[in-house]
Structures are given as structure tokens and as C-alpha cells.
Coordinates of all heavy atoms in Angstrom, one line a residue:
M1 N 86.8 -24.6 122.8 CA 87.7 -23.7 122.2 C 87.2 -23.1 120.9 O 87.7 -23.2 119.9 CB 89.1 -24.4 121.9 CG 89.7 -25.0 123.2 SD 91.2 -25.9 123.1 CE 91.5 -26.0 121.4
G2 N 86.0 -22.5 121.0 CA 85.4 -21.9 119.8 C 85.0 -22.9 118.8 O 84.1 -23.8 119.1
S3 N 85.7 -22.9 117.6 CA 85.3 -23.9 116.6 C 86.0 -25.2 116.7 O 85.9 -26.1 115.9 CB 85.6 -23.3 115.2 OG 87.0 -23.1 115.1
Q4 N 86.8 -25.3 117.8 CA 87.5 -26.6 118.1 C 87.2 -27.1 119.5 O 86.7 -26.3 120.3 CB 89.0 -26.4 117.9 CG 89.4 -26.0 116.5 CD 90.9 -25.8 116.4 OE1 91.5 -25.2 117.2 NE2 91.5 -26.5 115.4
I5 N 87.6 -28.3 119.7 CA 87.4 -28.9 121.1 C 88.7 -29.7 121.4 O 89.3 -30.3 120.5 CB 86.1 -29.7 121.2 CG1 85.9 -30.2 122.6 CG2 86.2 -30.9 120.2 CD1 84.5 -30.8 122.8
Q6 N 89.1 -29.6 122.7 CA 90.2 -30.4 123.1 C 89.7 -31.6 123.8 O 88.9 -31.5 124.8 CB 91.1 -29.6 124.1 CG 92.4 -30.3 124.5 CD 93.3 -29.5 125.3 OE1 92.9 -29.1 126.4 NE2 94.5 -29.3 124.8
V7 N 90.1 -32.8 123.3 CA 89.6 -34.0 123.8 C 90.8 -34.6 124.6 O 91.9 -34.9 124.1 CB 89.2 -35.0 122.7 CG1 88.8 -36.4 123.3 CG2 88.1 -34.4 121.9
V8 N 90.6 -34.9 125.9 CA 91.6 -35.4 126.8 C 91.1 -36.7 127.3 O 90.0 -36.8 127.9 CB 91.9 -34.5 128.0 CG1 92.9 -35.1 128.9 CG2 92.4 -33.1 127.5
L9 N 91.9 -37.8 127.1 CA 91.5 -39.1 127.6 C 92.5 -39.5 128.7 O 93.7 -39.2 128.6 CB 91.6 -40.2 126.5 CG 90.8 -39.9 125.2 CD1 91.0 -41.1 124.2 CD2 89.4 -39.7 125.5
N10 N 92.0 -40.0 129.8 CA 92.8 -40.4 130.9 C 92.3 -41.7 131.4 O 91.3 -41.7 132.1 CB 92.8 -39.3 132.0 CG 93.8 -39.5 133.0 OD1 94.6 -40.4 133.0 ND2 93.9 -38.5 134.0
L11 N 92.9 -42.8 131.0 CA 92.4 -44.1 131.3 C 93.4 -44.9 132.1 O 94.6 -44.5 132.2 CB 92.2 -44.8 129.9 CG 91.3 -44.1 128.9 CD1 91.4 -44.8 127.6 CD2 89.8 -44.1 129.4
A12 N 93.0 -46.0 132.6 CA 94.0 -46.9 133.2 C 95.0 -47.3 132.1 O 94.6 -47.6 131.0 CB 93.2 -48.2 133.7
A13 N 96.2 -47.3 132.4 CA 97.3 -47.5 131.4 C 97.1 -48.9 130.8 O 96.9 -49.9 131.5 CB 98.6 -47.4 132.0
G14 N 97.3 -49.0 129.5 CA 97.4 -50.3 128.8 C 98.8 -50.8 128.9 O 99.6 -50.4 129.7
P15 N 99.1 -51.7 128.0 CA 100.5 -52.3 127.9 C 101.5 -51.1 127.7 O 101.3 -50.3 126.9 CB 100.5 -53.2 126.7 CG 99.0 -53.5 126.5 CD 98.2 -52.3 127.0
A16 N 102.6 -51.2 128.5 CA 103.6 -50.1 128.5 C 104.1 -49.9 127.1 O 104.5 -50.8 126.4 CB 104.7 -50.4 129.5
G17 N 104.1 -48.6 126.7 CA 104.8 -48.3 125.4 C 104.0 -48.6 124.2 O 104.5 -48.4 123.1
V18 N 102.8 -49.2 124.3 CA 102.0 -49.5 123.2 C 101.0 -48.4 122.8 O 100.3 -47.9 123.7 CB 101.1 -50.8 123.5 CG1 100.2 -51.1 122.3 CG2 102.1 -52.0 123.7
D19 N 101.0 -48.0 121.6 CA 100.1 -47.0 121.1 C 98.8 -47.6 120.8 O 98.7 -48.6 120.1 CB 100.6 -46.3 119.8 CG 101.8 -45.4 120.0 OD1 101.9 -44.9 121.1 OD2 102.5 -45.1 119.0
Q20 N 97.7 -47.1 121.4 CA 96.4 -47.6 121.3 C 95.6 -46.6 120.5 O 95.2 -45.5 120.9 CB 95.7 -47.9 122.6 CG 96.5 -48.9 123.5 CD 95.7 -49.2 124.8 OE1 95.9 -48.5 125.8 NE2 94.8 -50.2 124.7
P21 N 95.2 -47.0 119.2 CA 94.4 -46.0 118.4 C 93.1 -45.6 119.1 O 92.5 -46.4 119.8 CB 94.2 -46.8 117.1 CG 95.3 -47.9 117.1 CD 95.5 -48.2 118.5
A22 N 92.7 -44.4 118.9 CA 91.5 -43.8 119.5 C 90.8 -42.9 118.5 O 91.5 -42.2 117.7 CB 91.8 -43.1 120.8
H23 N 89.5 -43.0 118.5 CA 88.8 -42.2 117.5 C 87.4 -41.8 118.1 O 86.9 -42.4 119.0 CB 88.4 -43.0 116.2 CG 89.6 -43.8 115.7 ND1 89.7 -45.1 115.8 CD2 90.6 -43.4 114.9 CE1 90.8 -45.5 115.2 NE2 91.4 -44.5 114.7
I24 N 86.9 -40.7 117.6 CA 85.4 -40.5 117.8 C 84.7 -41.2 116.6 O 85.0 -40.9 115.4 CB 85.2 -39.0 117.8 CG1 85.9 -38.3 119.0 CG2 83.6 -38.7 117.8 CD1 85.7 -36.8 119.0
H25 N 83.9 -42.1 117.0 CA 83.1 -42.9 116.0 C 81.6 -42.4 115.9 O 81.1 -41.9 117.0 CB 83.1 -44.4 116.4 CG 84.3 -45.1 116.1 ND1 84.5 -46.1 115.2 CD2 85.5 -45.0 116.7 CE1 85.7 -46.6 115.2 NE2 86.4 -46.0 116.1
D26 N 81.0 -42.6 114.8 CA 79.6 -42.4 114.7 C 79.0 -43.6 115.5 O 79.5 -44.7 115.6 CB 79.1 -42.6 113.2 CG 79.4 -41.3 112.4 OD1 79.0 -40.2 112.9 OD2 79.9 -41.4 111.3
G27 N 77.8 -43.3 116.0 CA 77.1 -44.4 116.7 C 77.3 -44.4 118.2 O 77.9 -43.5 118.8
Q28 N 76.9 -45.5 118.8 CA 77.0 -45.7 120.3 C 77.7 -47.0 120.6 O 77.6 -47.9 119.9 CB 75.6 -45.7 120.9 CG 74.8 -44.4 120.6 CD 75.1 -43.3 121.6 OE1 74.6 -43.3 122.7 NE2 76.0 -42.4 121.2
C29 N 78.3 -47.0 121.8 CA 78.9 -48.2 122.3 C 77.9 -49.3 122.6 O 76.8 -49.0 123.0 CB 79.7 -47.9 123.6 SG 80.8 -46.6 123.5
P30 N 78.2 -50.6 122.5 CA 79.5 -51.1 122.0 C 79.6 -51.2 120.5 O 80.7 -51.5 120.0 CB 79.6 -52.4 122.7 CG 78.2 -52.9 122.7 CD 77.3 -51.6 122.9
G31 N 78.5 -51.1 119.8 CA 78.6 -51.4 118.3 C 78.8 -50.1 117.5 O 77.9 -49.7 116.7
V32 N 79.9 -49.4 117.7 CA 80.1 -48.1 117.0 C 80.2 -48.3 115.5 O 80.6 -49.4 115.0 CB 81.3 -47.4 117.5 CG1 81.2 -47.0 119.0 CG2 82.6 -48.3 117.4
A33 N 79.9 -47.3 114.8 CA 80.0 -47.3 113.3 C 81.3 -46.7 112.9 O 82.3 -46.9 113.6 CB 78.8 -46.5 112.7
G34 N 81.3 -46.0 111.8 CA 82.6 -45.6 111.2 C 83.3 -44.5 112.0 O 82.7 -43.8 112.9
I35 N 84.5 -44.2 111.7 CA 85.3 -43.2 112.3 C 84.9 -41.8 111.8 O 84.8 -41.5 110.6 CB 86.8 -43.4 112.0 CG1 87.3 -44.7 112.7 CG2 87.7 -42.2 112.6 CD1 88.7 -45.1 112.2
K36 N 84.6 -40.9 112.8 CA 84.3 -39.5 112.5 C 85.5 -38.6 112.6 O 85.7 -37.8 111.7 CB 83.2 -39.1 113.4 CG 82.7 -37.7 113.1 CD 81.8 -37.6 111.9 CE 81.2 -36.2 111.7 NZ 80.4 -36.1 110.5
Y37 N 86.2 -38.8 113.7 CA 87.4 -38.0 113.9 C 88.5 -38.9 114.5 O 88.2 -39.7 115.4 CB 87.2 -36.8 114.9 CG 86.1 -35.9 114.4 CD1 84.9 -35.9 115.0 CD2 86.4 -34.9 113.5 CE1 83.9 -35.0 114.6 CE2 85.4 -34.0 113.1 CZ 84.2 -34.0 113.7 OH 83.2 -33.1 113.3
S38 N 89.7 -38.8 114.0 CA 90.8 -39.5 114.7 C 91.4 -38.7 115.9 O 91.5 -37.5 115.8 CB 92.0 -39.7 113.7 OG 91.6 -40.7 112.7
L39 N 91.7 -39.5 116.9 CA 92.3 -38.9 118.1 C 93.7 -39.3 118.2 O 94.1 -40.4 117.6 CB 91.5 -39.3 119.3 CG 90.1 -38.9 119.4 CD1 89.4 -39.5 120.7 CD2 89.9 -37.4 119.4
T40 N 94.6 -38.6 118.9 CA 95.9 -39.1 119.2 C 95.9 -40.4 119.9 O 95.1 -40.6 120.8 CB 96.6 -38.0 120.1 OG1 96.6 -36.8 119.5 CG2 98.1 -38.4 120.4
S41 N 96.7 -41.3 119.4 CA 96.7 -42.7 120.0 C 97.0 -42.6 121.5 O 97.8 -41.8 121.9 CB 97.7 -43.6 119.3 OG 97.4 -43.8 118.0
V42 N 96.3 -43.4 122.3 CA 96.5 -43.4 123.7 C 97.8 -44.1 124.0 O 98.1 -45.2 123.4 CB 95.3 -44.2 124.4 CG1 95.6 -44.3 125.9 CG2 94.0 -43.5 124.1
K43 N 98.6 -43.5 124.9 CA 99.9 -44.2 125.3 C 99.9 -44.0 126.8 O 99.8 -42.9 127.4 CB 101.1 -43.5 124.6 CG 102.3 -44.3 124.7 CD 103.4 -43.8 123.7 CE 104.5 -44.8 123.5 NZ 105.4 -44.4 122.5
D44 N 100.1 -45.2 127.5 CA 100.2 -45.2 128.9 C 98.9 -44.5 129.5 O 98.9 -43.9 130.6 CB 101.4 -44.5 129.5 CG 102.7 -45.2 129.0 OD1 102.7 -46.5 128.8 OD2 103.7 -44.5 128.7
G45 N 97.8 -44.7 128.8 CA 96.5 -44.3 129.3 C 96.1 -42.9 129.0 O 95.1 -42.4 129.4
K46 N 97.0 -42.2 128.3 CA 96.8 -40.7 128.1 C 96.8 -40.3 126.6 O 97.6 -40.9 125.8 CB 97.8 -39.9 128.9 CG 97.8 -40.1 130.4 CD 98.6 -39.1 131.1 CE 98.6 -39.4 132.6 NZ 97.5 -40.0 133.2
S47 N 95.9 -39.4 126.3 CA 95.8 -38.9 124.9 C 95.2 -37.5 125.0 O 94.2 -37.3 125.7 CB 95.0 -39.8 124.1 OG 94.5 -39.2 122.9
T48 N 95.8 -36.5 124.2 CA 95.2 -35.2 124.1 C 95.1 -34.9 122.6 O 96.1 -35.0 121.9 CB 96.0 -34.2 124.9 OG1 96.0 -34.5 126.3 CG2 95.4 -32.8 124.8
T49 N 94.0 -34.4 122.2 CA 93.8 -34.1 120.7 C 93.0 -32.8 120.6 O 92.0 -32.7 121.3 CB 93.1 -35.2 120.0 OG1 93.7 -36.5 120.3 CG2 93.1 -35.0 118.5
T50 N 93.3 -31.9 119.7 CA 92.5 -30.8 119.3 C 91.7 -31.3 118.1 O 92.3 -31.7 117.1 CB 93.3 -29.6 119.0 OG1 94.0 -29.2 120.2 CG2 92.4 -28.4 118.6
V51 N 90.4 -31.3 118.2 CA 89.5 -31.7 117.1 C 88.8 -30.5 116.5 O 88.3 -29.7 117.2 CB 88.5 -32.8 117.6 CG1 87.5 -33.2 116.5 CG2 89.2 -34.0 118.2
N52 N 88.7 -30.5 115.2 CA 88.0 -29.5 114.5 C 86.5 -29.7 114.5 O 85.9 -30.0 113.4 CB 88.5 -29.3 113.0 CG 89.9 -28.7 113.0 OD1 90.2 -27.7 113.7 ND2 90.8 -29.3 112.2
A53 N 85.9 -29.6 115.6 CA 84.5 -29.8 115.8 C 84.1 -29.0 117.0 O 84.9 -28.8 117.9 CB 84.1 -31.2 115.9
T54 N 82.9 -28.5 117.0 CA 82.4 -27.8 118.2 C 81.8 -28.8 119.2 O 81.3 -29.9 118.8 CB 81.3 -26.8 117.9 OG1 80.2 -27.5 117.3 CG2 81.9 -25.8 116.9
L55 N 81.8 -28.4 120.5 CA 81.2 -29.3 121.5 C 79.7 -29.5 121.1 O 79.2 -30.6 121.2 CB 81.3 -28.6 122.9 CG 80.7 -29.4 124.0 CD1 81.4 -30.8 124.2 CD2 80.9 -28.6 125.3
D56 N 79.0 -28.4 120.7 CA 77.6 -28.6 120.3 C 77.4 -29.6 119.2 O 76.5 -30.4 119.3 CB 77.0 -27.2 119.9 CG 76.8 -26.3 121.1 OD1 76.8 -26.7 122.2 OD2 76.5 -25.1 120.8
S57 N 78.3 -29.6 118.2 CA 78.1 -30.5 117.1 C 78.3 -32.0 117.6 O 77.6 -32.9 117.1 CB 79.1 -30.2 116.0 OG 80.4 -30.6 116.3
L58 N 79.2 -32.2 118.6 CA 79.4 -33.5 119.1 C 78.3 -34.0 120.0 O 77.9 -35.1 120.1 CB 80.7 -33.6 119.8 CG 82.0 -33.4 119.0 CD1 83.2 -33.5 119.8 CD2 82.1 -34.5 117.9
M59 N 77.7 -33.0 120.7 CA 76.6 -33.4 121.6 C 75.2 -33.5 120.9 O 74.3 -34.0 121.4 CB 76.4 -32.3 122.7 CG 77.6 -32.1 123.6 SD 78.0 -33.6 124.5 CE 76.6 -33.6 125.6
S60 N 75.2 -33.0 119.6 CA 73.9 -32.9 118.9 C 73.6 -34.2 118.1 O 72.5 -34.3 117.6 CB 73.8 -31.7 118.0 OG 74.8 -31.9 117.0
S61 N 74.5 -35.1 118.1 CA 74.3 -36.3 117.3 C 74.8 -37.5 118.2 O 75.1 -37.3 119.3 CB 74.9 -36.2 116.0 OG 74.5 -37.3 115.2
S62 N 74.9 -38.6 117.5 CA 75.2 -39.8 118.2 C 76.7 -40.2 118.0 O 77.0 -40.7 116.9 CB 74.3 -41.0 117.8 OG 74.6 -42.2 118.4
F63 N 77.5 -39.9 118.9 CA 79.0 -40.2 118.8 C 79.5 -40.9 120.0 O 78.9 -40.8 121.1 CB 79.8 -39.0 118.6 CG 79.4 -38.2 117.3 CD1 78.8 -37.0 117.4 CD2 79.8 -38.7 116.1 CE1 78.5 -36.3 116.2 CE2 79.5 -38.0 114.9 CZ 78.8 -36.8 115.0
A64 N 80.6 -41.6 119.8 CA 81.3 -42.3 120.9 C 82.8 -42.2 120.8 O 83.3 -42.2 119.6 CB 80.8 -43.8 121.0
I65 N 83.5 -42.2 121.9 CA 84.9 -42.3 121.8 C 85.3 -43.7 122.1 O 84.9 -44.3 123.1 CB 85.6 -41.4 122.9 CG1 85.3 -39.9 122.5 CG2 87.1 -41.6 123.0 CD1 85.8 -38.9 123.6
N66 N 86.1 -44.3 121.2 CA 86.4 -45.7 121.2 C 88.0 -45.8 121.2 O 88.6 -45.2 120.4 CB 85.8 -46.4 120.0 CG 85.7 -47.9 120.1 OD1 85.6 -48.4 121.2 ND2 85.8 -48.6 119.0
V67 N 88.5 -46.7 122.0 CA 89.9 -46.9 122.1 C 90.2 -48.4 121.7 O 89.4 -49.3 122.2 CB 90.5 -46.7 123.5 CG1 92.0 -46.9 123.6 CG2 90.2 -45.2 123.9
H68 N 91.2 -48.6 120.9 CA 91.5 -49.9 120.4 C 92.7 -50.5 121.1 O 93.5 -49.8 121.6 CB 91.7 -49.8 118.9 CG 90.6 -49.2 118.1 ND1 89.7 -50.0 117.3 CD2 90.2 -47.9 117.9 CE1 88.8 -49.2 116.8 NE2 89.1 -47.9 117.1
K69 N 92.8 -51.9 121.0 CA 93.8 -52.5 121.8 C 95.2 -52.1 121.3 O 96.1 -51.8 122.1 CB 93.7 -54.0 121.7 CG 94.7 -54.8 122.5 CD 94.4 -56.3 122.5 CE 95.4 -57.1 123.3 NZ 95.1 -58.6 123.2
S70 N 95.4 -52.1 120.0 CA 96.7 -51.7 119.4 C 96.6 -51.6 117.9 O 95.5 -51.9 117.4 CB 97.8 -52.8 119.7 OG 97.5 -54.0 119.0
G71 N 97.6 -51.1 117.3 CA 97.5 -51.0 115.8 C 97.4 -52.3 115.2 O 96.7 -52.4 114.2
A72 N 98.0 -53.3 115.7 CA 97.9 -54.7 115.1 C 96.6 -55.3 115.5 O 96.1 -56.2 114.7 CB 99.1 -55.5 115.6
E73 N 96.0 -55.0 116.6 CA 94.7 -55.6 117.0 C 93.7 -54.5 117.1 O 93.0 -54.3 118.2 CB 94.9 -56.3 118.3 CG 95.8 -57.6 118.1 CD 95.9 -58.4 119.4 OE1 96.7 -58.0 120.3 OE2 95.1 -59.3 119.6
V74 N 93.5 -53.7 116.0 CA 92.6 -52.6 116.0 C 91.2 -53.0 116.1 O 90.3 -52.2 116.5 CB 92.9 -51.7 114.8 CG1 92.3 -52.3 113.6 CG2 92.4 -50.3 115.0
S75 N 90.9 -54.2 115.8 CA 89.5 -54.7 115.9 C 89.0 -55.0 117.3 O 87.9 -55.3 117.5 CB 89.3 -56.0 115.0 OG 90.1 -57.0 115.5
V76 N 90.0 -55.0 118.2 CA 89.6 -55.3 119.6 C 89.4 -53.9 120.3 O 90.3 -53.1 120.4 CB 90.7 -56.1 120.3 CG1 90.4 -56.3 121.8 CG2 91.0 -57.4 119.6
Y77 N 88.2 -53.7 120.8 CA 87.9 -52.5 121.5 C 88.2 -52.6 123.0 O 87.8 -53.6 123.7 CB 86.5 -52.1 121.4 CG 86.0 -51.9 120.0 CD1 84.6 -51.9 119.7 CD2 86.9 -51.8 118.9 CE1 84.1 -51.7 118.4 CE2 86.4 -51.6 117.6 CZ 85.0 -51.6 117.4 OH 84.6 -51.4 116.1
T78 N 89.0 -51.7 123.6 CA 89.3 -51.8 125.0 C 88.6 -50.8 125.9 O 88.5 -51.0 127.1 CB 90.8 -51.6 125.2 OG1 91.3 -50.4 124.7 CG2 91.6 -52.8 124.5
S79 N 88.2 -49.7 125.3 CA 87.4 -48.7 126.0 C 86.4 -48.0 125.1 O 86.7 -47.8 123.9 CB 88.3 -47.6 126.6 OG 89.2 -48.1 127.5
C80 N 85.2 -47.7 125.6 CA 84.3 -47.0 124.7 C 83.4 -46.2 125.7 O 83.0 -46.6 126.7 CB 83.4 -48.0 124.0 SG 82.4 -47.3 122.7
G81 N 83.1 -45.0 125.2 CA 82.2 -44.1 126.0 C 81.4 -43.3 125.1 O 81.9 -42.7 124.1
N82 N 80.1 -43.3 125.3 CA 79.2 -42.5 124.5 C 79.3 -41.0 124.9 O 79.2 -40.7 126.1 CB 77.7 -42.9 124.8 CG 77.5 -44.3 124.3 OD1 78.0 -44.8 123.3 ND2 76.6 -45.1 125.0
I83 N 79.5 -40.2 123.9 CA 79.6 -38.7 124.2 C 78.3 -38.2 124.8 O 78.3 -37.3 125.6 CB 80.1 -38.0 123.0 CG1 81.5 -38.4 122.6 CG2 80.0 -36.5 123.2 CD1 82.1 -37.8 121.4
S84 N 77.2 -38.7 124.3 CA 75.9 -38.1 124.6 C 75.4 -38.7 126.0 O 74.4 -38.3 126.4 CB 74.9 -38.5 123.6 OG 74.8 -39.8 123.4
S85 N 76.2 -39.5 126.6 CA 75.7 -40.1 127.9 C 76.6 -39.8 129.0 O 76.7 -40.5 130.0 CB 75.5 -41.6 127.8 OG 76.8 -42.2 127.6
I86 N 77.3 -38.7 128.9 CA 78.2 -38.2 130.0 C 77.3 -38.0 131.2 O 76.3 -37.4 131.2 CB 78.9 -36.9 129.6 CG1 79.9 -37.2 128.5 CG2 79.6 -36.3 130.8 CD1 80.5 -36.0 127.8
P87 N 77.7 -38.5 132.4 CA 76.9 -38.4 133.6 C 76.5 -37.0 133.9 O 77.3 -36.1 133.8 CB 77.8 -38.9 134.7 CG 78.7 -39.9 134.0 CD 78.9 -39.3 132.6
G88 N 75.2 -36.7 134.1 CA 74.7 -35.4 134.3 C 74.2 -34.8 133.1 O 73.6 -33.7 133.1
G89 N 74.4 -35.4 132.0 CA 73.7 -35.0 130.7 C 74.6 -34.3 129.8 O 74.5 -34.4 128.6
S90 N 75.5 -33.4 130.3 CA 76.4 -32.7 129.4 C 77.6 -32.2 130.2 O 77.5 -32.1 131.4 CB 75.6 -31.5 128.8 OG 75.3 -30.6 129.8
P91 N 78.7 -32.0 129.5 CA 79.9 -31.5 130.2 C 79.6 -30.2 130.9 O 78.8 -29.4 130.3 CB 80.9 -31.4 129.1 CG 80.4 -32.2 128.0 CD 78.9 -32.1 128.1
T92 N 80.3 -29.9 131.9 CA 80.2 -28.6 132.6 C 80.8 -27.6 131.6 O 81.8 -27.8 131.0 CB 81.1 -28.6 133.8 OG1 80.6 -29.6 134.7 CG2 81.0 -27.3 134.5
S93 N 80.1 -26.5 131.4 CA 80.6 -25.5 130.5 C 80.3 -24.1 131.1 O 79.2 -23.7 131.1 CB 79.8 -25.6 129.1 OG 80.2 -24.7 128.2
S94 N 81.4 -23.5 131.5 CA 81.3 -22.1 132.0 C 82.7 -21.5 131.8 O 83.7 -22.2 131.8 CB 80.8 -22.1 133.4 OG 81.8 -22.6 134.3
P95 N 82.7 -20.2 131.7 CA 84.0 -19.5 131.5 C 85.0 -19.8 132.6 O 86.2 -19.9 132.4 CB 83.6 -18.1 131.4 CG 82.2 -18.1 131.0 CD 81.6 -19.3 131.6
S96 N 84.5 -20.0 133.8 CA 85.4 -20.2 134.9 C 86.2 -21.4 134.9 O 87.3 -21.5 135.6 CB 84.6 -20.1 136.2 OG 83.7 -21.2 136.3
D97 N 85.8 -22.5 134.2 CA 86.5 -23.7 134.2 C 87.3 -23.9 132.9 O 87.8 -25.0 132.6 CB 85.7 -24.9 134.5 CG 84.6 -25.1 133.5 OD1 84.6 -24.6 132.4 OD2 83.6 -25.9 133.9
G98 N 87.4 -22.9 132.1 CA 88.2 -23.0 130.9 C 87.5 -23.3 129.6 O 88.1 -23.2 128.6
Y99 N 86.2 -23.7 129.7 CA 85.4 -23.9 128.5 C 84.8 -22.5 128.1 O 84.3 -21.8 128.9 CB 84.3 -24.9 128.7 CG 84.7 -26.3 129.1 CD1 84.7 -26.7 130.4 CD2 85.2 -27.1 128.0 CE1 85.1 -28.0 130.7 CE2 85.6 -28.4 128.3 CZ 85.6 -28.8 129.6 OH 85.9 -30.1 129.9
N100 N 84.8 -22.3 126.8 CA 84.2 -21.1 126.3 C 83.4 -21.3 125.1 O 83.7 -22.1 124.3 CB 85.3 -20.0 126.0 CG 85.8 -19.4 127.2 OD1 85.1 -18.8 128.0 ND2 87.2 -19.5 127.4
Ligands
CU1 CU1 88.3 -46.3 116.4

């Protein structure tokens, strides 16, 4: 979305009604570093966030999306995915599928 990107997480649902913090962290899974961008907490497996970063900027360095067990157990990681290791090398990007 130009200078922004929409991040959509669709995971197997965690505990019902529990907000699971999610962030884009510096580094790579499983030993991610600090938080780079906060994402909307995952609830029932779903989260959508508009992030003030370009896709290119996220792909040009080492970042990972990390989901935490809960606010109380934020030190427990339940999901992690390296942004730079998306199967196929990079997300599909063409005007016809909504990315611009
Ligand atoms: Cu995090």
C-alpha cells in the first residue's frame, strides 16, 4: 500500500478469547531480537495491522513475525516466521492481486 503494508495473520486459533501479542521483530526465528513494529494482537488466530513500512524495507533486512502466548506469558513464543524466508523467495506482487 505505497508507504505502508497490511500485515494479515491467519493461524490456528489459540485459547478462545485470549489476546496473543504479535510483533515484527529484528532478527530471525527462533531467537528473535527486539521489537521493530507492533502488530494487532492475534485473537482466535487472526490479526490485521497496517504498518508504516514498505514491503521493500521489510524484505531488505532480517525481520521475523513473532506471536506470543498471551500478555501474561509474553516470553513464550507460539508462532514465528521469517519474513525473508517466505516460500518462493518473496511475496507475490502485482497490481492484479491487490499489491501495488
Ligand atoms: Cu514480539
Side-chain angles (χ1 to χ4, degrees):
M1 301 176 357
S3 61
Q4 297 180 311
I5 186 168
Q6 186 176 59
V7 179
V8 178
L9 305 182
N10 194 355
L11 306 169
V18 174
D19 286 338
Q20 298 185 270
H23 314 103
I24 296 175
H25 285 249
D26 284 312
Q28 299 279 278
C29 304
V32 295
I35 295 169
K36 182 74 174 178
Y37 301 103
S38 286
L39 301 176
T40 303
S41 292
V42 176
K43 196 165 196 173
D44 300 326
K46 299 192 185 329
S47 162
T48 300
T49 311
T50 299
V51 175
N52 288 317
T54 63
L55 182 59
D56 284 349
S57 73
L58 292 178
M59 297 297 292
S60 67
S61 188
S62 181
F63 296 111
I65 293 175
N66 197 29
V67 180
H68 302 257
K69 183 175 180 182
S70 67
E73 293 183 274
V74 76
S75 63
V76 179
Y77 301 167
T78 57
S79 299
C80 192
N82 295 325
I83 292 176
S84 58
S85 66
I86 291 168
S90 64
T92 301
S93 180
S94 69
S96 63
D97 62 15
Y99 294 103
N100 283 302

